[in-house]
């Protein structure tokens, strides 16, 4: 057996959610990953867990439900299902979700059934969601490889080879080797992310300026009181955890009307299963005023994406990822947000996270006035390159080099 799998389990328990002695551990896991689930449970008890609450799932069965169940069930829910999550969150449990789905596993199901279901269930689990989104409980999402996913990523390879490529890729992104201690490695990685995010926040930049040889020349103003987010989070009780494993990014919110210039994409972008290899956005006072793409059809697809609502044509995220980070160096498309969003320096059009002081307590209007963007969409697109330079401009007019030749300058 591959010893790296046990290291992976230990890493998720100790760094991902950081289960504390006496704490309840909630594990969401597909039945296909039962062996891994057992390892996680053993590690959780070894870390002192009080109890493990197991929540199995199966994508094939979910698909059958969406295809064949009675239509009215997607507009209702059973209160006890919501009670379970709300109660566990109130008790201060730690939540780990293992994902191992087929990226195309839901093609052909009526998408509106899925949205109706989350519309019905969403409000009922608001307490759980809010505790999670505001980091009041520890939570973590991570992924395990599977054959369907491997086939999607490496369509030209024999299936076994594709699976082994995906497996190796995941271990590389998780910084797990047969010899090392990944827990120690991630402690150092998180420390580095946390130090940089503190430094960037302290500079309190007025704006940051991106430039590279591909034609990116973009100035992004940052809102008053902004802070940089990323690395590990800390609960009010002082327990640190990593909500996404792996994670490479440090990010903040651009000032909604303060983005000017041109951003050229450096990795493919996917809309409804269609891959757009390259494109560029031009911004004026925050708004995307020009879309360039490799074909007219792709340009139209992008234009439709940024017209979903008013906020979709404005930025919601500016994230920094070194060109030399593991996912970036691999240069493969995972068809999985958890990995692809960490592939490179990126921007997102659509909603911003409330990364300004007091932001999470603000209502929609207050957020807008503070310079944050709101939208029903949030789509990352990659702009990092080997030669990307980013210069920060402080409020007293100093220029600070943030990125030099694709990587952090400090
Ligand atoms: Zn991001
Ligand atoms: Zn994002």
């Amino acid at each position: 057996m591959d010893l790296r799998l046990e290291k992976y389990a230990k890493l998720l328990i100790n760094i991902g959610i950081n289960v504390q002695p006496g704490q309840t551990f909630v594990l969401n896991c597909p039945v296909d990953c039962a062996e891994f689930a057992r390892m996680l449970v053993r590690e959780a008890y070894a870390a002192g867990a009080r109890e493990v609450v197991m929540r199995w799932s199966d994508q094939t069965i979910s698909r059958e439900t969406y295809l064949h169940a009675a239509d009215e069930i997607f507009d209702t829910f059973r209160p006890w299902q919501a009670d379970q999550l709300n109660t566990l969150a109130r008790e201060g449990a730690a939540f780990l979700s293992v994902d191992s789905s087929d990226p195309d596993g839901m093609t052909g199901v009526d998408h509106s059934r899925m949205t109706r279901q989350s519309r019905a269930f969403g409000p009922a689990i608001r307490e759980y969601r809010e505790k999670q989104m505001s980091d009041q409980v520890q939570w973590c999402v991570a992924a395990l490889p599977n054959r369907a996913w491997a086939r999607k990523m490496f369509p030209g390879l024999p299936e076994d080879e594709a699976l082994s490529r995906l497996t190796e890729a995941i271990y590389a992104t998780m910084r797990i080797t047969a010899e090392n201690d990944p827990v120690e490695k991630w402690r150092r990685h998180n420390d580095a992310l946390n130090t940089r995010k503190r430094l960037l926040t302290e500079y309190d930049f007025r704006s940051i300026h991106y430039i590279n040889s591909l034609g990116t020349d973009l100035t992004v103003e940052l809102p008053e009181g902004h802070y940089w987010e990323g690395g590990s989070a800390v609960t009010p009780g002082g327990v640190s955890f990593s909500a996404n494993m792996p994670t490479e990014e440090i990010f903040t919110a651009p000032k909604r009307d303060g983005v000017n210039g041109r951003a050229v994409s450096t990795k493919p972008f996917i809309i409804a299963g269609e891959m757009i290899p390259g494109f560029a956005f031009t911004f004026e006072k925050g708004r995307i005023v020009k879309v360039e793409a490799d074909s007219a059809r792709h340009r139209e697809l992008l234009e439709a994406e940024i017209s979903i609502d008013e906020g979709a044509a404005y930025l919601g995220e500016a994230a920094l990822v070194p060109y030399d980070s593991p996912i970036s160096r691999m240069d493969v498309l995972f068809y999985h947000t958890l990995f692809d969003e960490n592939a490179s320096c990126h921007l997102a059009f659509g909603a911003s996270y409330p990364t300004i002081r007091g932001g999470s307590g603000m209502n929609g209007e207050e957020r807008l006035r503070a310079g944050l963007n709101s939208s029903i969409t949030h789509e990352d697109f990659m702009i990092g390159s080997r030669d990307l330079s980013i210069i920060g401009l402080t409020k007293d007019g100093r220029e600070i080099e943030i990125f030099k030749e694709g990587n952090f300058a400090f």
Side-chain angles (χ1 to χ4, degrees):
M1 204 201 56
D2 195 336
L3 286 177
R4 293 178 297 177
L5 196 60
E6 294 205 340
K7 290 189 180 187
Y8 192 9
K10 204 182 185 74
L11 181 64
L12 294 183
I13 293 299
N14 292 295
I15 295 288
I17 51 166
N18 194 7
V19 174
Q20 298 295 297
Q23 191 173 30
T24 299
F25 167 50
V26 184
L27 177 56
N28 299 298
C29 188
V31 289
D32 290 340
C33 307
E35 186 197 355
F36 190 56
R38 293 180 196 119
M39 287 179 190
L40 288 165
V41 169
R42 278 195 291 270
E43 289 296 341
Y45 281 125
R50 169 179 176 263
E51 182 194 3
V52 177
V53 176
M54 195 62 222
R55 290 164 44 92
W56 294 107
S57 63
D58 183 70
Q59 192 184 22
T60 309
I61 293 176
S62 297
R63 181 185 166 78
E64 290 298 313
T65 308
Y66 287 120
L67 285 176
H68 305 298
D71 197 53
E72 70 271 14
I73 73 145
F74 301 103
D75 296 315
T76 55
F77 67 93
R78 296 191 174 83
W80 59 264
Q81 288 173 315
D83 263 1
Q84 186 195 30
L85 288 172
N86 290 335
T87 310
L88 286 165
R90 213 174 300 143
E91 285 172 12
F95 298 82
L96 174 63
S97 296
V98 174
D99 175 65
S100 184
S101 47
D102 173 355
D104 295 325
M106 288 296 170
T107 31
V109 313
D110 178 356
H111 203 73
S112 72
R113 288 189 154 196
M114 299 168 101
T115 45
R116 277 162 55 206
Q117 187 175 52
S118 41
R119 219 176 288 143
F121 198 52
I125 54 165
R126 184 168 294 138
E127 184 179 0
Y128 158 73
R129 298 277 299 168
E130 274 174 8
K131 285 209 157 54
Q132 190 183 43
M133 285 309 157
S134 57
D135 295 337
Q136 290 181 59
V137 295
Q138 300 129 263
W139 60 281
C140 174
V141 184
L144 266 202
N146 64 63
R147 286 180 178 273
W149 181 13
R151 276 198 305 270
K152 172 88 181 175
M153 263 181 85
F154 305 105
L157 294 182
E159 198 172 286
D160 284 344
E161 204 180 320
L163 182 63
S164 113
R165 283 278 292 278
L166 171 57
T167 306
E168 291 307 314
I170 288 179
Y171 283 133
T173 65
M174 302 302 299
R175 296 172 162 79
I176 299 171
T177 68
E179 295 81 32
N180 75 351
D181 173 6
V183 171
E184 188 44 42
K185 206 128 181 111
W186 274 88
R187 281 211 176 103
R188 265 180 283 137
H189 176 54
N190 277 337
D191 284 349
L193 288 173
N194 292 337
T195 304
R196 280 177 178 147
K197 111 184 148 186
R198 263 196 307 276
L199 268 173
L200 289 172
T201 301
E202 277 165 23
Y203 276 122
D204 194 22
F205 292 118
R206 179 193 304 278
S207 64
I208 54 177
H209 182 203
Y210 298 76
I211 194 155
N212 71 10
S213 61
L214 295 166
T216 289
D217 186 350
L218 185 76
T219 303
V220 175
E221 288 176 44
L222 302 177
E224 201 60 49
H226 72 273
Y227 58 84
W228 291 80
E229 190 55 275
S232 52
V234 183
T235 65
V239 181
S240 69
F241 65 97
S242 298
N244 287 334
M245 292 285 280
T247 184
E248 302 290 341
E249 67 173 350
I250 298 171
F251 64 94
T252 192
K255 183 162 176 253
R256 189 178 193 269
D257 59 2
V259 182
N260 288 283
R262 185 164 175 263
V264 180
S265 76
T266 52
K267 298 214 185 249
F269 183 76
I270 295 174
I271 300 176
E274 188 156 346
M275 192 200 283
I276 297 173
F279 64 94
F281 288 143
T282 301
F283 296 83
E284 270 175 33
K285 291 187 181 143
R287 193 180 175 81
I288 300 171
V289 293
K290 185 176 170 196
V291 179
E292 298 159 81
D294 60 305
S295 72
R297 179 182 159 69
H298 286 163
R299 196 192 65 232
E300 280 158 22
L301 277 174
L302 285 162
E303 282 170 348
E305 280 299 291
I306 61 162
S307 312
I308 288 178
D309 59 16
E310 172 64 17
Y314 291 83
L315 291 185
E317 178 186 357
L320 307 178
V321 178
Y323 188 77
D324 285 342
S325 66
I327 301 175
S328 161
R329 268 202 314 251
M330 258 175 240
D331 203 28
V332 290
L333 197 61
F334 280 83
Y335 298 91
H336 198 304
T337 325
L338 202 51
F339 299 88
D340 291 330
E341 74 174 2
N342 282 300
S344 156
C345 277
H346 54 271
L347 302 167
F349 58 85
S352 35
Y353 298 97
T355 48
I356 53 175
R357 283 189 291 277
S360 43
M362 291 179 182
N363 64 30
E365 208 169 291
E366 290 167 334
R367 285 186 189 191
L368 217 58
R369 231 179 296 130
L372 297 173
N373 190 30
S374 102
S375 169
I376 57 162
T377 193
H378 175 105
E379 290 288 346
D380 292 347
F381 59 96
M382 305 297 141
I383 60 162
S385 67
R386 187 191 297 277
D387 66 345
L388 182 67
S389 140
I390 307 174
I391 306 285
L393 183 68
T394 63
K395 292 191 168 123
D396 53 9
R398 281 178 302 145
E399 289 192 348
I400 308 291
E401 194 168 43
I402 303 171
F403 256 54
K404 182 187 180 172
E405 284 164 13
N407 292 298
F408 274 102
F410 53 81

